[in-house]
Amino acid sequence: MRGEKRLTFWDPQPVVDEQSVDLMPMPEPDDVDNYGEAIGITYGSDEELRCVEKEQQRDVHRWELNPASSEDYRSRTHARD
């Protein structure tokens, strides 16, 4: 096959099939923005990537991580009284 390289035990180079890389679907820019919005991380067009920092910032006040967001929180906290 064109572009295929077979790895042997003495060849330290990884197997690369350039043809399969060309066939891999790539997301459209609009899709990437939609994915970011879905997970709560968005970027401006000229903003530097800060993935870990933005995730941590997003999660500081995230309602789902707050114990009071659970459905049985009120019954659990009032049961102790």
Side-chain angles (χ1 to χ4, degrees):
M1 271 195 215
R2 193 182 120 222
E4 184 176 347
K5 180 176 165 78
R6 299 230 179 246
L7 183 65
T8 58
F9 68 93
W10 62 84
D11 189 356
Q13 297 298 318
V15 175
V16 176
D17 183 357
E18 295 169 5
Q19 194 173 26
S20 65
V21 171
D22 292 339
L23 298 174
M24 293 173 62
M26 298 298 292
E28 295 294 322
D30 290 341
D31 292 339
V32 173
D33 291 339
N34 291 337
Y35 298 152
E37 287 177 18
I39 63 169
I41 300 174
T42 57
Y43 286 92
S45 60
D46 60 342
E47 186 177 359
E48 184 178 332
L49 293 177
R50 299 175 293 122
C51 296
V52 174
E53 185 180 332
K54 280 201 125 175
E55 286 176 9
Q56 291 171 341
Q57 199 174 36
R58 173 201 65 189
D59 293 342
V60 168
H61 300 290
R62 191 165 174 186
W63 176 246
E64 295 88 358
L65 299 177
N66 185 330
S69 70
S70 67
E71 293 178 7
D72 64 342
Y73 178 76
R74 180 168 259 160
S75 63
R76 286 186 294 121
T77 56
H78 290 296
R80 294 182 195 163
D81 295 340

